[in-house]
Amino acid sequence: MTNQTNAPPAVDYAPLELQGELIAMQKLTIEDLLTIGQSQVPENQQELHLELLEKNQNHQLSESDRLLLRSLRVSADYLMLKKAYAYALLQWKGYSFQILSN
C-alpha cells in the first residue's frame, strides 16, 4: 500500500443527505471499506422491490406501494453510491485490488 498523497475523492456529486455519511467514510479502516464495498441490498428487500416493479408495470400500485417502491429505489441507489465511494476511498488509500482473470 502507498501513502495518501492527495485529497480524498469529492462528495459534492452525491445527494446532500448522503454527503455527511460519505465524508465520515473517509476515516474508516480498509476492512470497513471492504465490507461496505461488498454489501448488498438484503434479499427480502430485493424481492419486495421486484414485486412492486411488477405491480407497477401492471398498473396495480396503490399510493402506499408507490411510496414504498420509491423508498426502496432510493435506498438501493444510496447503497450503490456508498459502495462506489468505498472503492474510491480504498484506491485513494492505496489499497491494491487483485484483478480476476478467467
Side-chain angles (χ1 to χ4, degrees), residues 44-77:
N44 63 336
Q45 284 185 15
Q46 292 178 33
E47 291 170 1
L48 179 57
H49 198 162
L50 290 173
E51 288 173 23
L52 292 172
L53 286 171
E54 187 174 316
K55 283 177 77 172
N56 186 44
Q57 190 171 26
N58 296 327
H59 306 287
Q60 298 174 336
L61 277 184
S62 67
E63 186 58 32
S64 62
D65 285 344
R66 192 174 316 285
L67 292 172
L68 180 55
L69 179 59
R70 182 182 186 285
S71 174
L72 290 169
R73 180 188 54 81
V74 168
S75 177
D77 288 349

Side-chain angles (χ1 to χ4, degrees), residues 18-96:
L18 195 57
Q19 288 181 10
E21 190 172 347
L22 296 178
I23 290 169
M25 286 172 60
Q26 296 170 5
K27 297 178 183 173
L28 295 178
T29 65
I30 297 292
E31 293 77 20
D32 290 338
L33 292 171
L34 286 169
T35 298
I36 292 170
Q38 295 169 355
S39 63
Q40 296 183 358
V41 173
E43 191 173 329
N44 63 336
Q45 284 185 15
Q46 292 178 33
E47 291 170 1
L48 179 57
H49 198 162
L50 290 173
E51 288 173 23
L52 292 172
L53 286 171
E54 187 174 316
K55 283 177 77 172
N56 186 44
Q57 190 171 26
N58 296 327
H59 306 287
Q60 298 174 336
L61 277 184
S62 67
E63 186 58 32
S64 62
D65 285 344
R66 192 174 316 285
L67 292 172
L68 180 55
L69 179 59
R70 182 182 186 285
S71 174
L72 290 169
R73 180 188 54 81
V74 168
S75 177
D77 288 349
Y78 283 8
L79 177 61
M80 293 305 114
L81 281 171
K82 288 187 258 186
K83 288 171 62 105
Y85 195 69
Y87 282 113
L89 286 172
L90 285 165
Q91 186 175 21
W92 173 66
K93 290 180 178 222
Y95 182 78
S96 177

